[in-house]
Amino acid sequence: MRRFVVYGAGAIGGVLGARLHAAGHEVVLIARGAHLAAIRADGLRVESPDGTQTLPIPAVSGPDEVDWRPGDVVLLAMKSTDTDAAVRALAAVADPATPVVCVQNGVANEPTVLRHFAHVYGVHVMFPATHLTPGVVQAQSAPVTGILDLGRYPHGVDETAERIAAAFRSATFACEPRPDIMRGKYVKLLGNLGNAVDALCGRSGDGDGENPQEIVERLRAEGSAVLEAAGIEFMSFAEDRARRGDLIQVRPVNGRSRTGSSSWQSLARSTGAIEADHLNGEIVLLGRLHGVPTPANELVRRLANQAARAGDPPGSLRVADFWKLLAAAEPAEPGTSEDAVLPTS
């Protein structure tokens, strides 16, 4: 199989690259900062319910350091907020015919890549993983690490998709080539609308009977209404659950349960950025284009960005305060300012 260049070696990219490497595929990781330094110094440490491996995977700081070869496949695994800059850097050195696979949440990455590369593939990512410490990634599911169904963007399956799917299957992932891959990616978008709530409010609520799941349900109701108004076909949650079946088995790693979503991890690591603009913000954008109000998603988007900029830890927002802010914002949603101010009481 061709060499995989994993661009973005955090939770998803790091675990995927490690699993491919362990399965005998040639892999190069593109990472940055302390994470890159740790991988170069000691290898990539992969922790899972079944044990720990440290793998000596080659790692570089950018696509300009890769010795590009015919047949290389790029696996994009950075947050959507970083995709545009990453793809521009990639396009400066890689052949436009290089296959680029978007192993990412959201639906904006594929069209961004298609501006620069002719062969683009989307992946419906069902893959619990964590990255909080430089040089360390965690795979939370075993023995199947995740589900990575893929297809060509905007639609179709070709020989390259089949070969990549086979490689993923060899590396402990379930993977089916699907010609309608965006149906799966849009239901995953609806599922990911709760990521920012997980980051802002935590999963257990305030301890006073407030349930963050009620916020998530409101976000998904807005999202479903927007997709229907836009005429965008998406997989049902029932179909999505049936595909997952019992393949994903989340188990403790080093005696600890999984902490939180990728957005929770962004706040926990104080990265200064969060993916809400490309998750909740995608629903806001489509709502504005098609005349569907999305006040809850807009509020979550703004609060998540505010928390990321301020360096707030996960769980800093009370559920009750969210509903107060939403009640105040709903009448004037089109003209709200970028920063929402939390109540002091």
Side-chain angles (χ1 to χ4, degrees):
M1 182 58 192
R2 305 168 179 182
R3 181 176 63 167
F4 290 101
V5 179
V6 181
Y7 198 169
I12 297 297
V15 173
L16 176 54
R19 292 289 190 251
L20 288 166
H21 174 88
H25 300 279
E26 189 173 2
V27 174
V28 175
L29 304 176
I30 300 179
R32 59 187 180 185
H35 190 45
L36 172 62
I39 295 170
R40 282 175 162 171
D42 302 313
L44 180 64
R45 180 181 175 91
V46 185
E47 300 174 343
S48 79
D50 292 335
T52 298
Q53 291 179 299
T54 300
L55 302 172
I57 307 175
V60 299
S61 65
D64 57 328
E65 293 185 11
V66 176
D67 59 324
W68 292 98
R69 309 171 189 168
D72 284 343
V73 174
V74 176
L75 306 179
L76 290 189
M78 71 284 296
K79 296 288 195 303
S80 299
T81 48
D82 297 323
T83 295
D84 187 65
V87 171
R88 290 179 183 277
L90 183 65
V93 293
D95 191 294
T98 301
V100 180
V101 185
C102 298
V103 193
Q104 300 165 286
N105 289 329
V107 294
N109 300 291
E110 290 83 0
T112 297
V113 179
L114 197 61
R115 293 179 184 273
H116 302 275
F117 292 90
H119 304 287
V120 180
Y121 302 82
V123 179
H124 182 180
V125 180
M126 297 169 269
F127 183 173
T130 299
H131 167 53
L132 296 174
T133 303
V136 181
V137 293
Q138 292 184 335
Q140 261 86 28
S141 177
V144 174
T145 303
I147 305 173
L148 297 175
D149 293 343
L150 84 159
R152 185 155 182 157
Y153 179 81
H155 50 75
V157 169
D158 58 14
E159 182 182 354
T160 297
E162 297 280 4
R163 294 175 67 186
I164 295 170
F168 286 174
R169 288 193 296 270
S170 75
T172 73
F173 293 92
C175 180
E176 294 180 1
R178 291 181 175 263
D180 56 350
I181 191 62
M182 296 310 292
R183 288 183 68 247
K185 295 213 69 168
Y186 272 103
V187 76
K188 184 66 190 302
L189 172 65
L190 293 178
N192 287 142
L193 296 179
N195 285 16
V197 178
D198 178 46
L200 290 166
C201 302
R203 295 181 177 179
S204 59
D206 307 332
D208 56 3
E210 296 287 349
N211 184 0
Q213 186 60 31
E214 294 177 2
I215 302 175
V216 176
E217 291 170 359
R218 171 66 184 270
L219 299 175
R220 291 175 180 170
E222 287 184 359
S224 296
V226 163
L227 296 184
E228 289 169 2
I232 294 172
E233 185 180 1
F234 56 97
M235 184 183 290
S236 70
F237 280 111
E239 186 179 349
D240 185 54
R241 285 192 298 269
R243 172 63 181 124
R244 294 168 187 258
D246 59 358
L247 290 172
I248 303 297
Q249 298 284 339
V250 177
R251 295 158 47 197
V253 176
N254 298 330
R256 296 183 179 180
S257 299
R258 190 176 188 222
T259 47
S261 68
S262 57
S263 296
W264 186 98
Q265 294 172 46
S266 292
L267 292 191
R269 290 165 52 212
S270 298
T271 63
I274 198 166
E275 205 172 12
D277 284 346
H278 289 84
L279 300 176
N280 306 89
E282 186 72 27
I283 297 303
V284 173
L285 170 62
L286 289 170
R288 289 171 176 167
L289 288 172
H290 297 278
V292 179
T294 58
N297 278 279
E298 169 61 0
L299 179 59
V300 164
R301 183 195 71 80
R302 290 188 289 111
L303 290 173
N305 281 319
Q306 178 183 327
R309 288 194 298 266
D312 293 340
S316 296
L317 177 67
R318 295 179 67 250
V319 172
D321 286 338
F322 171 84
W323 291 115
K324 291 176 184 177
L325 288 167
L326 182 61
E330 277 185 298
E333 188 269 339
T336 49
S337 63
E338 178 65 19
D339 289 320
V341 179
L342 297 181
T344 57
S345 59

